[in-house]
Amino acid sequence: AMAGARVTRALLSVSDKTGLEALARGLVARGVELLSTGGTAAALREAGLPVKDVSDHTGFPEMLGGRVKTLHPKIHGGLLGKRGDAGHQAEMAAHGVEPIDLVVLNLYPFEATVAKGAAFDECVENIDIGGPSMMRSAAKNHDAVAVVTSPAQYEDVLRDLEVNGGGTSLALRRRLAAE
């Protein structure tokens, strides 16, 4: 297991922007590259933070009305690739897949959309596919990747990065994966 897994690249995609700017600033201050999509990327740019669109990272446009953004090997390979596995590393290098060490997401507010009595079609569009997929990929590889799903966790993550010289502890990654 990787003790202090260094965070070099983070993907942020949140519907709840609470605390986002402070977290992102803390990451950028540690030299972390930020990847993002849609409204989250816009919020980060508005805050004057450097951010790379997921579509620029993957070389593939957001398509099907935003239904396909993060469902791409450069995202899931970056999350799932085993850091200490020479075979995985060679495949990642061969296909230009760069590791993603931290994922910050909260799922589309599907329940809230249904609760407010939204039309069936709007409810269907609020079924999140990319979010849960990234959550599972990151949690599966929590040996190297931290998955952050709530603004309540941001402070712990920044503190952990501080204590571990820009990395996250296995204890934190395990806790986050379980949450």
Side-chain angles (χ1 to χ4, degrees):
M2 303 179 64
R6 185 137 188 78
V7 177
T8 56
R9 191 170 294 103
L11 193 154
L12 300 86
S13 181
V14 294
S15 49
D16 178 358
K17 310 284 188 279
T18 311
L20 174 69
E21 189 182 329
L23 175 67
R25 271 191 204 294
L27 293 171
V28 169
R30 286 178 178 76
V32 177
E33 179 185 28
L34 306 183
L35 303 177
S36 194
T37 61
T40 306
L44 294 170
R45 282 197 182 98
E46 214 168 284
L49 291 161
V51 59
K52 185 179 186 182
D53 283 306
V54 161
S55 54
D56 291 331
H57 183 73
T58 62
F60 209 83
E62 279 189 24
M63 61 181 296
L64 305 180
R67 283 182 162 198
V68 179
K69 294 188 277 236
T70 58
L71 297 166
H72 191 282
K74 283 196 175 174
I75 300 300
H76 287 275
L79 293 171
L80 285 162
K82 291 184 178 175
R83 306 307 196 253
D85 181 314
H88 277 214
Q89 294 305 302
E91 274 187 86
M92 288 171 79
H95 297 285
V97 174
E98 298 173 307
I100 297 170
D101 314 295
L102 178 74
V103 183
V104 183
L105 23 92
N106 36 69
L107 305 182
Y108 294 164
F110 177 68
E111 287 84 356
T113 306
V114 174
K116 76 176 187 194
F120 181 76
D121 289 349
E122 187 187 340
C123 292
V124 169
E125 283 310 315
N126 273 283
I127 296 172
D128 195 342
I129 308 295
S133 301
M134 288 190 289
M135 223 177 251
R136 286 182 176 235
S137 289
K140 178 168 181 161
N141 200 20
H142 72 267
D143 197 50
V145 181
V147 55
V148 183
T149 54
S150 159
Q153 300 164 333
Y154 295 177
E155 214 171 289
D156 288 347
V157 170
L158 289 173
R159 195 175 311 115
D160 209 62
L161 288 169
E162 186 70 45
V163 171
N164 296 288
T168 55
S169 64
L170 181 60
L172 179 75
R173 292 192 306 277
R174 278 196 177 139
R175 196 191 88 204
L176 293 171
E179 287 177 19

